[in-house]
Amino acid sequence: MGRLTRRAFAVAALSTLSAGSSAAVPRTGRHHRTDGAGGGAAGPSGEMRGVWLACVENRDWPSRPGLTAGAQRAELTAHLDEAVRRRLNTVILQVRPTADALWPSPYEPWSQYLTGTQGGDPGWDPLGTAVAQAHARGLQLHAWFNPYRIANHADPARLVPSHPARLHPDWVVPYGGRLYYNPGLPQVRAFVQEAIMDAVRRYPVDAVHFDDYFYPYPVAGRTFDDTAAYERHGGAFADRAAWRRDNVNRLVRETAARVAQVRPGTQFGISPFGVWRNADSDPGGSRTQAGAQSYDDLHADTRTWLREGWIDYLAPQVYWNIGFTAADYAVLVPWWAREARGSRTRLYIGEALYKAGDPAQPAAWRDPAELSRHLALAADHPEVRGHVYFAAREVAADRAGAMARVVADHYPRSATAPRRPVTAGAAGPAGA
């Protein structure tokens, strides 16, 4: 996708609406606890203080393809050290950016973002090293997988000859200048899970993590062509949208069950787009006017996952400032908190650190205190059990001082990261 990262879609999703924002509202809510209980209801399970470390298009790491193994290791450990310095406790490392791998996978090629050539052996094991080095620093390492994205271009011939997408061209849907696996094919769902589970079997990762990409974000004037799969597999559903949501639900439930079976202490979490549905689409939705809705556009029924407790944590990307007209942080966080009440699924909030200090963003983001106000507001909702920051490059650079302000205001001491309880005879996720 060129230099367009997944977080750019948060802006694109609102592009049809007014970009205006009211002034940020000062908040002085109670700070997060720093006794390891963090985030109100978190109790003894800890407080999430996470950071995403993105590899797609060399966004955060490695800084460029083709670095030596030693240089790649040094950059990786520098990010881990920075997380410790900022009193964070979790790094969410992207290990399968585009149907590839940052470990020696028997299913998919080495990622091009390591060597510059897809399938090129980098001479070391990045995921194995990341897990060991994170644990040595007291950090959790969550392995972040993108389920269906094959390539940020539309030419299958650019994939290595042994790539599963070339061996199974019937699995592939070109859309919007990119290639995707078809979520409507059971064999695709099975393959994606096998590719993920290889990493879970090999390494003691603390979590499997999905982001917001299930069915792709809509592209004007383009159609995601899954007609043949729908005709073959969608007969039991009222319409194609319901069938697509069921395909995503199946992936989520099946993956949760397999992770719990193979490595019981490993969590499964998802960071979806920050709006489930607008209230004008569904009375139960949020009082927002977002141009994209995960339920309708990505066919990801994120509210159901939360309500039913299918996964261990949900970290919606609430990437807008307090007072933003179309999607107000001060509206969305209370909405998600209400939906999380009574759920076994922990709620974290994804934070747009990358917007802080960016002159292209609404004026609120030029105030170094904006992000700190987010945490103060969220602390008034005990269902919010922590925050995750996008992304590692901005944690290190902190051009506006927003991260330093968060640490000073809310993280005066370290906190224990949440873990999945493992008890004898414990059931897996509900509905799994």
Side-chain angles (χ1 to χ4, degrees), residues 245-246 248-250 252-257 268 270 301 304-313 343-345 420 428-432:
R245 280 190 291 274
D246 184 70
V248 176
N249 283 346
R250 285 175 182 268
V252 169
R253 293 171 67 176
E254 291 168 4
T255 302
F268 178 37
I270 300 176
D301 189 1
T304 290
W305 308 343
L306 182 60
R307 285 183 164 187
E308 298 298 323
W310 289 353
I311 58 180
D312 293 295
Y313 69 82
S343 173
R344 71 168 286 277
T345 298
R420 190 174 199 268

Side-chain angles (χ1 to χ4, degrees), residues 243-279:
W243 170 70
R244 286 177 172 178
R245 280 190 291 274
D246 184 70
N247 293 331
V248 176
N249 283 346
R250 285 175 182 268
L251 175 74
V252 169
R253 293 171 67 176
E254 291 168 4
T255 302
R258 295 189 69 176
V259 170
Q261 179 183 27
V262 169
R263 199 175 283 277
T266 293
Q267 305 165 74
F268 178 37
I270 300 176
S271 61
F273 181 70
V275 175
W276 172 71
R277 299 190 90 186
N278 298 320

Side-chain angles (χ1 to χ4, degrees), residues 33-52:
R33 294 173 61 181
T34 55
D35 57 1
S45 64
E47 174 187 11
M48 167 59 81
R49 300 178 183 178
V51 57
W52 280 289

